Amino acid sequence: MSPILVFSVIAGYFLLLISISYFTSRQSDNVTFFTANRQSPWFLVAFGMVGATLSGVTFISVPGEVGNSNWTYLQFVMGNMVGYAVIALVLIPLFYKLKLVSIYEYLKNRFGKRSYLAGSSFFIISQTIGASFRLFLAAVVLQIAFFDAFGIPFYVTVLTTIALIWLYTYRGGIKTIVWTDTLQTTFLLLAVIISIVVIVNHMDLKAAEVFSVVSKSEMSGIFDWDWRSDRNFYKTFLAGIFITIAMNGLDQNIMQKNLTCRNKSDAQKNIFWFSLTFFFSTLLFLALGVLLYKFAIDQQISLPERSDEVYPLLALNEFGLLAGIVFLLGITAAAFSSADSALTALTTSFCVDILDIEKKKTDQKKTRMLVHIGFTLLMFIVIIIFNAINDTSVVSAVFKVAGFTYGPLLGLFAFGLLTKRPVKDRFVPVVCILSPVISIVLDLNSAEWFYGYQFGFEILLVNATITFLGLWGLYDKRPGFH
C-alpha cells in the first residue's frame, strides 16, 4: 500500500470520528463527560463494547498466537463468559443501587477513604499500562504502513496517534465513546471477515471446506490438561472468570459504559448480549489465526519470529488492496476503541476519586480538561518505554501485568461483598502494595519452589487471595473508627 493511500484512509477515518464527536458533544458538561446523562441505548453500548474489549491486542496478537499455543486461548474466553454473568447479576445491581459515577466510591462506603484511594490508584496504574500496551500495537502498524516511508521516528507516530484520540474525546467524553465504539466495532469485525474471505479465495476453498480445514488443523487444539503448564484448562478457565470480573466488572473503563444505560435492566441486557457477541467474535479471530498460518505455508511465505507481526505482514503485503485497507481500518479501530475509552475512564477516575471534583469551587470543566491532557501525555511516555523494552507477545504481557495490578482490586471488592467485617482502613494501602510484591516473588520462583509448576493468568487469583487474607487480618474491633 502506498503511504498516500494509507494517509487518506486514516485521515478519512478520523474525520468521521471527529464528526461524531461534534454531534455528540454539543451542550456537554461534566455529567455528559462522566455518565452520558445515563441515556445510552443498551444495544448500542453492547455492540460498541465488543470493539473495546477485543482491542488491538486481540486483533493482532490472538491470530498470531495461534501458531504458538493453538486455540488454548478459548479456555480463557470460556471462563470470561462466567465472569460476565457474575458482573450482570452481582455488580450491576450494586452499582446502580448506589448511583455511582466512579465504581471505586463503593470502597469508600464500605471501608473508608484510604481504601477508596488505594482502589482508584491501582485502577489508574493498571489502565494506564494496559491501554498503552494496546495503543502501542496500532502505532507499530501505522509506523510500518505510513511513517517509515517518510523517515518519521516512532515517537512522532505515537504522539500523533494519541493527540488525535484526545481531539475527539476531550469534549463529549463517554457519550462520544459510546457512539464511536459502535463504528469501531463494525470496522474491526469487517476486517476479520474480509481477511478470512480473501484467504479462502486465495486457497480456492469452498465454504464447507473452510470449517474442515480449521477444525482438523493441529493448531485448533483447545484443551491443555498438563497441570504444570501455564495453559492448563482449570487454571486458565478460573483465571478467565476472575480476570473478567477484575478487568471488566471492577474496571472504571468498562463499567463507565454500562452505567450510561438508562437503568439496571438495560445494563444487564447489555452485558449478556455483549458476552455472546464477544465469544463468537473470538472464534472468528482464532479461525483466522489457523488460516493465516495455512496460507503462509501454501504460499511459501517466511513469517517473522514475533507472532504479533504475522497478521499485519500478510494483510498489508499479501492479501491485496481492499484487504489491506480494511485491515488498516480494523487495527486503527481496535486500538482506538480501547484507548479512547481508557483515556476517558482515567480522567473520570482521577477527577472523581482523587480530586473529588464535584466538591471543588474552581472551574470543574477546566480541571477535567487539564487532567485529560495529563493522561494523554502519560500514555505517550509509557508507550515509548514499552517500545524500548518489549520482547514478548503483547497479549501475554497485558494479562500478566493485569494479574499483578488488578489483584488488589479483586481482593478488595471480594472482601467487601462476601464479608461484613470492618477493617483498619489506614493499613489497607499497605496490604494492596504487598500483595502484588509477594505475587511477583512467587511467580518468579514457582518452577523451583513448586516442582515445575508455572503460574499463568491465575496469578491474579493468588494476588487477590493474598489481599483478601491481608484484609481479614486488619479486623477493626471498633466499627466506625478507621
Side-chain angles (χ1 to χ4, degrees):
M1 293 176 66
S2 72
I4 299 302
L5 179 59
V6 173
F7 175 79
S8 300
V9 170
I10 295 175
Y13 178 75
F14 273 103
L15 285 174
L16 188 56
L17 290 180
I18 291 170
S19 297
I20 293 174
S21 174
Y22 172 76
F23 287 108
T24 56
S25 62
R26 288 183 296 181
Q27 298 180 336
S28 64
D29 54 18
N30 277 3
V31 176
T32 304
F33 188 97
F34 296 146
T35 69
N37 304 106
R38 302 194 192 276
Q39 293 297 314
S40 299
W42 69 265
F43 49 86
L44 198 70
V45 178
F47 185 69
M49 280 176 58
V50 173
T53 303
L54 290 173
S55 78
V57 173
T58 305
F59 189 79
I60 289 181
S61 288
V62 169
E65 186 66 19
V66 167
N68 298 327
S69 55
N70 303 329
W71 276 31
T72 54
Y73 181 67
L74 196 62
Q75 300 174 127
F76 180 75
V77 178
M78 291 174 183
N80 292 163
M81 297 303 101
V82 179
Y84 288 126
V86 173
I87 292 171
L89 299 175
V90 178
L91 295 180
I92 288 291
L94 172 66
F95 295 153
Y96 266 86
K97 179 182 178 181
L98 296 176
K99 298 180 180 179
L100 304 181
V101 174
S102 166
I103 61 174
Y104 308 113
E105 293 175 285
Y106 164 79
L107 298 176
K108 180 169 62 176
N109 297 333
R110 174 64 177 84
F111 299 121
K113 187 172 182 179
R114 292 187 182 181
S115 300
Y116 168 46
L117 293 176
S120 179
S121 297
F122 268 90
F123 161 73
I124 289 171
I125 294 169
S126 304
Q127 192 61 220
T128 300
I129 295 172
S132 298
F133 281 5
R134 295 177 178 101
L135 193 56
F136 165 79
L137 283 175
V140 168
V141 173
L142 293 176
Q143 184 72 27
I144 295 171
F146 176 71
F147 289 91
D148 273 347
F150 298 96
I152 296 173
F154 183 72
Y155 76 88
V156 175
T157 305
V158 176
L159 190 60
T160 302
T161 302
I162 204 165
L164 288 169
I165 293 177
W166 179 87
L167 188 63
Y168 73 82
T169 59
Y170 81 98
R171 291 180 62 193
I174 195 65
K175 183 177 180 180
T176 297
I177 298 303
V178 167
W179 287 91
T180 56
D181 274 0
T182 302
L183 174 72
Q184 291 170 157
T185 298
T186 301
F187 280 125
L188 187 151
L189 295 178
L190 191 62
V192 177
I193 292 169
I194 289 179
S195 294
I196 291 175
V197 170
V198 168
I199 294 173
V200 168
N201 288 337
H202 269 290
M203 297 172 63
D204 198 25
L205 295 173
K206 296 179 181 178
E209 294 174 326
V210 176
F211 179 80
S212 178
V213 167
V214 173
S215 61
K216 292 180 180 179
S217 171
E218 293 181 355
M219 289 184 286
S220 296
I222 299 174
F223 301 104
D224 183 343
W225 303 108
D226 183 356
W227 70 273
R228 293 167 298 183
S229 170
D230 62 355
R231 295 279 178 171
N232 172 266
F233 170 76
Y234 296 107
K235 59 186 180 182
T236 305
F237 179 78
L238 287 173
I241 296 173
F242 291 101
I243 280 183
T244 296
I245 295 172
M247 293 185 67
N248 290 269
L250 306 181
D251 186 299
Q252 179 67 22
N253 182 4
I254 299 298
M255 292 307 294
Q256 190 170 356
K257 297 173 186 177
N258 293 316
L259 296 177
T260 68
C261 293
R262 293 184 176 93
N263 51 53
K264 178 191 75 173
S265 177
D266 276 5
Q268 290 176 313
K269 284 188 288 187
N270 155 49
I271 290 292
F272 284 122
W273 281 104
F274 151 72
S275 62
L276 288 174
T277 307
F278 170 72
F279 183 82
F280 287 109
S281 297
T282 303
L283 285 177
L284 272 180
F285 279 96
L286 292 169
L288 173 62
V290 173
L291 293 172
L292 286 173
Y293 284 97
K294 178 68 173 174
F295 176 84
I297 293 171
D298 287 352
Q299 300 296 316
Q300 296 183 330
I301 299 171
S302 297
L303 294 177
E305 292 184 8
R306 288 180 58 185
S307 61
D308 291 340
E309 297 175 2
V310 171
Y311 186 22
L313 173 73
L314 296 177
L316 293 173
N317 299 301
E318 304 292 341
F319 290 170
L321 184 61
L322 175 61
I325 291 174
V326 175
F327 169 81
L328 197 59
L329 285 171
I331 180 57
T332 305
F336 289 113
S337 64
S338 59
D340 55 15
S341 58
L343 192 55
T344 301
L346 286 166
T347 301
T348 299
S349 181
F350 195 85
C351 287
V352 175
D353 300 331
I354 307 299
L355 298 182
D356 200 7
I357 193 173
E358 294 177 334
K359 294 182 179 179
K360 303 293 183 183
K361 295 181 180 180
T362 55
D363 188 339
Q364 295 181 7
K365 189 171 183 179
K366 181 180 179 181
T367 300
R368 187 201 77 209
M369 291 182 68
L370 289 173
V371 171
H372 201 54
I373 292 171
F375 277 110
T376 302
L377 295 174
L378 179 59
M379 286 176 64
F380 166 73
I381 293 169
V382 173
I383 292 171
I384 297 302
I385 294 173
F386 182 60
N387 181 55
I389 64 175
N390 178 48
D391 61 354
T392 186
S393 171
V394 176
V395 69
S396 298
V398 168
F399 288 117
K400 195 72 170 181
V401 169
F404 297 123
T405 57
Y406 277 90
L409 278 175
L410 182 58
L412 278 168
F413 275 88
F415 190 89
L417 293 169
L418 298 177
T419 78
K420 295 183 179 180
R421 192 178 175 94
V423 300
K424 297 175 181 177
D425 178 58
R426 64 186 180 278
F427 296 119
V428 169
V430 177
V431 169
C432 291
I433 293 171
L434 287 177
S435 297
V437 171
I438 295 171
S439 299
I440 290 171
V441 172
L442 290 173
D443 181 64
L444 293 175
N445 296 280
S446 62
E448 181 181 349
W449 292 353
F450 307 122
Y451 306 99
Y453 182 90
Q454 296 181 51
F455 285 111
F457 298 152
E458 81 280 5
I459 193 67
L460 171 77
L461 300 181
V462 176
N463 198 344
T465 301
I466 294 171
T467 303
F468 191 100
L469 294 175
L471 293 174
W472 189 269
L474 295 181
Y475 178 61
D476 191 346
K477 297 180 180 180
R478 302 170 300 162
F481 292 90
H482 302 287

